[in-house]
């Protein structure tokens, strides 16, 4: 289904804590007419905050190279880039110079995304480092540790069990070698909050370090490196309402300083000479620049800093309280449907951010998501959400290969083929979530009103109907 028009829906008051782009975009319905698009896939990529867009637009005419030019706009852009570093450091509660008893402050390295940040850290692990991850992690946190010995821990059934599982695993490890724990702050599948502070304490008690994957946590809750006492935090701008290709790895400087530059090139090198024997000699920077080779993404970084400021000013307490209401609207609105089962590790009432995944008896997830889009103008995600071990476990066995969508699907009691995920945030008006609840109820009760078929692995409305 393609977006057909963009119009101003002046007759529709949109109530959301912070305005985002796309709030007036309409999409066609397969059953006729148009509707304002309900973007309920924030966990994949959140829309840009209006404020972020405005800040980017205000800066764009002044755009210039960073760390590279003598001209006025280059200097302005360099200042903006370094201001953004300070803003992000503050947003993430980074430890100041000499803080944390470590003798040096935290470093903010700008990357492309959480995936990029965790791969950067993986490339900076000291020799012999062991890595501990739960099998529940997003692939971005599960897979980068290719040069380390990785212990993949069983999915816990409570936050307490998570800490106990980690403690047991760390107690069994070689006590003197370097070790890293990588853990998510909020699951991209269940939205559940993980006991980060307790896991950090367990890691440190056993001489290990910890990196927090805050891709899903940072858009919903305050994240403080200092207060959580984690060694690093990684996040993505596009999930934090700043979709301009930037990400962050913030935290301890020592492993990063000792590692080879993540990318080799201009900006990472302080001095390059050609030796008499024809080889090249390089002296690398040892600050954040060591891992930021190439021309920096100043627009992306400026956008990220703008989002950090907007979220801080709006106040996470206010934002989280509103999000709780939306979660309740979904849970209460579907509570009496036995066909709908929410996925959860820690139990239905566990604290979570605005990310909920579910299966519907009798439906393949891709068929259900396609009907939500085509018949109600609601954008969600379906599948295994780049967390295959977790979702397979929660679905109760490996999902079979995808069948033909819309064909007689699974029946109640049968295993689902994939889940559906609904997620929201600061730009979500009540109406989007209410429409979602109504749509799920109608689809479960009456079935789809249209036929669907699978094209290139995706379920789509059947145009020939
Ligand atoms: N970690 C979690 C928990 C995520 O949900 C995601 C993306 O969905 C990532 C990491 C990877 O983020 P990115 O694709 O921005 O690198």
């Amino acid at each position: 289904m393609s977006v057909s028009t963009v119009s101003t829906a002046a007759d529709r008051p949109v109530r959301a804590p912070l305005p985002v782009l796309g709030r007036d975009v309409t999409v066609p319905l397969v059953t006729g007419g148009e509707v304002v698009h309900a973007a309920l896939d924030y966990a994949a990529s959140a829309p840009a905050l209006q404020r972020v867009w405005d800040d980017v637009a205000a800066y764009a005419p002044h755009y210039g190279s960073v760390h590279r030019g003598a001209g006025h706009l280059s200097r302005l852009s360099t200042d903006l880039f370094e201001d953004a570093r300070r803003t992000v450091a503050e947003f993430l509660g980074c430890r100041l110079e000499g803080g944390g008893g470590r003798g040096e402050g935290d470093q903010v390295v700008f990357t492309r995304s959480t995936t990029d940040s965790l791969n950067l850290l993986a490339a900076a692990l000291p020799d012999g480092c062991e890595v501990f991850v739960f099998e529940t992690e997003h692939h971005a946190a599960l897979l980068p540790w290719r040069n380390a010995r990785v212990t993949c821990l069983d999915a816990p059934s409570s936050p307490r069990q998570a800490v106990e599982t980690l403690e047991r695993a760390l107690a069994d490890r070689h006590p003197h070698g370097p070790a890293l724990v990588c853990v998510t702050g909020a699951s991209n599948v269940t939205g559940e909050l993980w006991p980060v502070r307790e896991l950090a304490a367990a890691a440190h008690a056993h001489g290990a370090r910890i990196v927090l994957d805050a891709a899903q946590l940072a858009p919903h809750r305050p994240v403080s490196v200092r207060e959580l006492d984690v060694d690093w935090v990684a996040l993505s701008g596009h999930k934090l309402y700043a979709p301009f290709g930037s990400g962050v790895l913030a935290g301890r400087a020592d492993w990063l300083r000792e590692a080879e530059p993540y990318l080799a090139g201009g900006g990472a090198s302080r001095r390059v000479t050609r030796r008499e024997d024809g080889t090249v000699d390089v002296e690398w920077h040892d600050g954040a620049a060591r891992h930021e080779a190439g021309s920096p993404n100043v627009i992306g970084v400026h956008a990220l800093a703008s989002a950090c400021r907007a979220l801080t000013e709006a106040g996470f307490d206010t934002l989280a309280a509103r999000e709780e209401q939306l979660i309740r609207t979904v849970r209460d609105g579907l509570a009496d449907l036995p066909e709908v089962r929410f996925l959860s590790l820690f139990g239905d009432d566990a604290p979570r951010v605005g990310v909920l995944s579910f299966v519907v008896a009798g439906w393949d997830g891709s068929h259900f998501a396609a009907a939500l889009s085509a018949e109600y103008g609601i954008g969600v995600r379906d599948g295994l959400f780049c967390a295959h071990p977790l979702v397979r476990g929660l679905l109760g066995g490996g999902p079979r290969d995808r069948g033909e969508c819309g064909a007689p699907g699974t029946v109640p009691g049968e295993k689902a083929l994939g889940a559906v995920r609904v997620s929201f945030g600061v730009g979500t008006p009540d109406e989007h979530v209410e429409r979602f609840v109504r749509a799920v109820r109608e689809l479960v009760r009456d079935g789809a009103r249209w036929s669907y078929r699978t094209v290139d692995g995706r379920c789509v409305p059947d145009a020939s109907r």
Side-chain angles (χ1 to χ4, degrees), residues 23-45:
R23 58 192 186 274
D24 299 330
V25 170
T26 61
V27 291
L29 298 179
V30 73
T31 45
E34 294 198 336
V35 68
V36 172
H37 184 243
L40 293 179
D41 195 11
Y42 276 48
S45 281

Side-chain angles (χ1 to χ4, degrees), residues 39-83:
L40 293 179
D41 195 11
Y42 276 48
S45 281
L49 285 175
Q50 182 70 53
R51 157 104 171 257
V52 167
W53 183 252
D54 293 345
D55 281 351
V56 165
Y59 162 63
H62 308 278
Y63 175 79
S65 65
V66 170
H67 296 149
R68 282 164 172 73
H72 184 82
L73 297 190
S74 285
R75 295 181 57 176
L76 184 147
S77 296
T78 301
D79 286 349
L80 205 73
F81 189 77
E82 294 305 329
D83 276 353

Side-chain angles (χ1 to χ4, degrees), residues 43 113-116 138 140 184 186 188 213 215-216 236 238-239:
S113 62
T114 306
T115 303
D116 202 27
H138 187 281
T184 188
N188 69 307
D213 171 355
Q216 298 295 348
S236 300
H238 72 104
K239 295 185 197 291

Side-chain angles (χ1 to χ4, degrees), residues 103-458:
E104 64 182 327
D106 287 324
Q107 207 165 64
V108 171
V109 182
F110 287 119
T111 65
R112 291 177 300 170
S113 62
T114 306
T115 303
D116 202 27
S117 298
L118 294 175
N119 274 274
L120 160 58
L121 187 59
L125 295 182
D127 286 347
C129 190
E130 286 182 76
V131 173
F132 296 81
V133 279
F134 285 91
E135 61 170 325
T136 48
E137 293 296 342
H138 187 281
H139 296 171
L142 198 56
L143 302 181
W145 323 107
R146 288 172 292 180
N147 298 325
R149 183 142 61 80
V150 178
T151 302
C152 188
L153 307 172
D154 289 347
S157 58
S158 67
R160 189 193 167 105
Q161 197 182 50
V163 178
E164 289 168 358
T165 301
L166 180 65
E167 273 177 335
R168 257 196 315 278
L170 291 174
D172 286 349
R173 84 181 184 94
H174 190 286
H176 300 302
L180 177 74
V181 177
C182 177
V183 70
T184 188
S187 165
N188 69 307
V189 175
T190 66
E192 289 165 315
L193 296 170
W194 279 60
V196 177
R197 204 188 312 259
E198 291 79 359
L199 291 166
H204 293 151
H206 289 88
R209 296 188 180 192
I210 186 165
V211 55
L212 170 64
D213 171 355
Q216 298 295 348
L217 185 63
H220 304 274
R221 296 284 191 281
V223 172
S224 167
V225 172
R226 188 175 37 237
E227 282 173 25
L228 295 170
D229 197 20
V230 293
D231 297 280
W232 293 276
V233 58
L235 58 78
S236 300
H238 72 104
K239 295 185 197 291
L240 200 75
Y241 310 101
F244 293 88
S246 61
V248 173
L249 178 69
R252 297 180 70 165
D254 51 358
W255 284 7
L256 299 175
R257 184 181 51 243
E258 284 147 29
E260 285 291 301
Y262 184 44
L263 294 172
S269 47
R270 185 182 289 133
R271 188 164 179 277
V272 180
T273 46
R274 184 175 185 276
R275 293 198 199 94
E276 296 225 328
D277 65 2
T279 57
V280 175
D281 186 41
V282 190
E283 198 183 301
W284 300 107
H285 281 296
D286 50 14
R290 184 181 189 83
H291 298 294
E292 290 177 348
S295 297
N297 173 8
V298 58
I299 293 221
V301 158
H302 179 51
L304 185 57
S306 166
C308 292
R309 281 190 293 270
L311 291 169
T312 304
E313 283 165 24
F316 275 104
D317 286 352
T318 311
L319 299 175
R322 165 96 193 334
E323 199 173 290
E324 285 289 328
Q325 275 174 14
L326 296 180
I327 293 170
R328 262 200 308 280
T329 302
V330 174
R331 299 304 298 259
D332 294 352
L334 303 176
D336 63 329
L337 297 183
E339 295 88 347
V340 176
R341 175 171 72 88
F342 287 96
L343 304 185
S344 159
L345 277 176
F346 302 156
D348 284 350
D349 298 328
R352 50 167 45 76
V353 299
V355 177
L356 296 148
S357 296
F358 58 97
V359 287
V360 184
W363 290 79
D364 172 24
S366 78
H367 184 196
F368 202 84
L372 283 174
S373 170
E375 299 178 29
Y376 296 91
I378 296 171
V380 296
R381 182 165 171 196
D382 65 275
L384 304 181
F385 316 127
C386 295
H388 291 184
L390 169 61
V391 180
R392 284 209 185 92
L394 291 172
L395 292 180
R400 294 160 301 172
D401 289 339
R402 282 186 178 284
E404 190 65 17
C405 71
T410 49
V411 293
E414 257 191 357
K415 280 174 188 141
L417 302 176
V420 181
R421 180 180 74 189
V422 59
S423 54
F424 35 80
V426 302
T428 308
D430 294 354
E431 189 277 327
H432 289 186
V433 171
E434 288 157 8
R435 193 191 326 166
F436 167 78
V437 168
R438 180 168 53 81
V440 173
R441 297 189 68 84
E442 286 179 8
L443 288 170
V444 168
R445 190 187 61 210
D446 305 330
R449 283 171 288 168
W450 204 260
S451 333
Y452 295 82
R453 64 195 181 93
T454 303
V455 176
D456 295 334
R458 280 227 63 81

